[in-house]
Amino acid sequence: MAELPFPDPELGDGFVLLRPWREQDGPQRFAGFSDELCRRFSWPRVEPPTERDVLGAYERDERERLAGQSLNLAVADAADPARVWGAASVYDVSAADGRAAVGYWVAPWARGRGVATRSLRLLAAWTFEGLGVQRLELTCEPANVASARVAQRCGFVREGVLRSHVRFKDGRRDTVVYGLLPGELT
Ligand SMILES: CC(C)(COP(=O)(O)OP(=O)(O)OC[C@H]1O[C@@H](n2cnc3c(N)ncnc32)[C@H](O)[C@@H]1OP(=O)(O)O)[C@@H](O)C(=O)NCCC(=O)NCCS
């Protein structure tokens, strides 16, 4: 499958800017992702992520982008693009089926100001227009109320619960599935 392009021009709305990760983002990337909420909902292992886990993502990001599988972008402050607010990614891209999934996290210092909602809107619109995706999926843990609100605010439809869907921490967990089709983005 062809490599995934970086959005050009970069995705932004004057408040958030989605841009490629930079080497210098390392400390903010690690600090933002190693907080309690990210660990609870976005990190599958029991032991907390190490700096090596998080920074190892640079290499994995590029490998998966070149393989056409995923694209992971930094979410930054549009007024100061060196300031990292979180991450937004498209993954499980299937060109054959015209389908992809989206994920995100926001650092504790940037939460509660619409950063996730704005980032998801920008990324979702680009997957439809730039990648030709016809179905976008978003999955989260049933207890993740904030993420469910983000999905609903963007127009995602809650489609159901996949029971015992993934290995998580020292057990398994259910997954709520949301779907968004072209024209449904709000
Ligand atoms: C989920 C997350 C990305 C939301 O980021 P955010 O930028 O704070 O979200 P927004 O400001 O866009 O808020 C979206 C909605 O969530 C609500 N919300 C935020 N935190 C909440 C909380 N702890 N409990 C309930 N609702 C919450 C907001 O009130 C808002 O809803 P509203 O419009 O009805 O008021 C962030 O909490 C996070 O990074 N969590 C850990 C990682 C994670 O869960 N990622 C998603 C995995 S599926």
Side-chain angles (χ1 to χ4, degrees):
M1 146 97 208
E3 71 182 62
L4 295 180
F6 285 106
D8 181 18
E10 287 177 338
L11 303 174
D13 63 0
F15 186 70
V16 297
L17 176 73
L18 275 59
R19 60 156 175 79
W21 285 101
R22 303 170 182 164
E23 283 303 322
Q24 317 79 283
D25 296 330
Q28 297 185 84
R29 189 173 186 176
F30 178 60
F33 188 70
S34 41
D35 103 295
E36 202 188 317
L37 213 55
C38 287
R39 287 211 319 257
R40 172 160 177 219
F41 290 122
S42 298
W43 181 249
R45 303 212 294 264
V46 174
E47 61 282 4
T50 63
E51 207 164 341
R52 205 167 157 193
D53 289 324
V54 175
L55 303 187
Y58 281 98
E59 202 186 307
R60 192 197 56 218
D61 288 351
E62 188 56 7
R63 198 175 54 240
E64 294 186 356
R65 188 184 75 77
L66 292 174
Q69 295 165 343
S70 70
L71 180 72
N72 193 315
L73 297 169
V75 174
D77 177 352
D80 177 6
R83 194 177 307 152
V84 173
W85 280 348
S89 60
V90 186
Y91 65 98
D92 280 354
V93 176
S94 166
D97 284 321
R99 193 173 62 222
V102 278
Y104 42 82
W105 58 263
V106 171
W109 56 83
R111 288 188 191 138
R113 287 188 288 158
V115 170
T117 306
R118 286 167 176 270
S119 304
L120 180 57
R121 280 194 191 118
L122 290 164
L123 194 59
W126 180 76
T127 63
F128 293 136
E129 289 152 21
L131 295 183
V133 161
Q134 296 295 311
R135 170 183 165 80
L136 198 55
E137 292 182 352
L138 192 160
T139 59
C140 69
E141 176 172 329
N144 196 343
V145 182
S147 192
R149 283 294 305 148
V150 172
Q152 284 157 1
R153 281 180 68 173
C154 292
F156 280 79
V157 175
R158 190 182 192 277
E159 296 177 331
V161 176
L162 303 175
R163 296 174 303 148
S164 191
H165 183 229
V166 287
R167 270 188 215 285
F168 206 71
K169 313 296 183 199
D170 47 8
R172 301 186 64 80
R173 72 153 171 81
D174 295 352
T175 293
V176 182
V177 183
Y178 295 85
L180 185 78
L181 307 185
E184 292 180 342
L185 184 62
T186 54

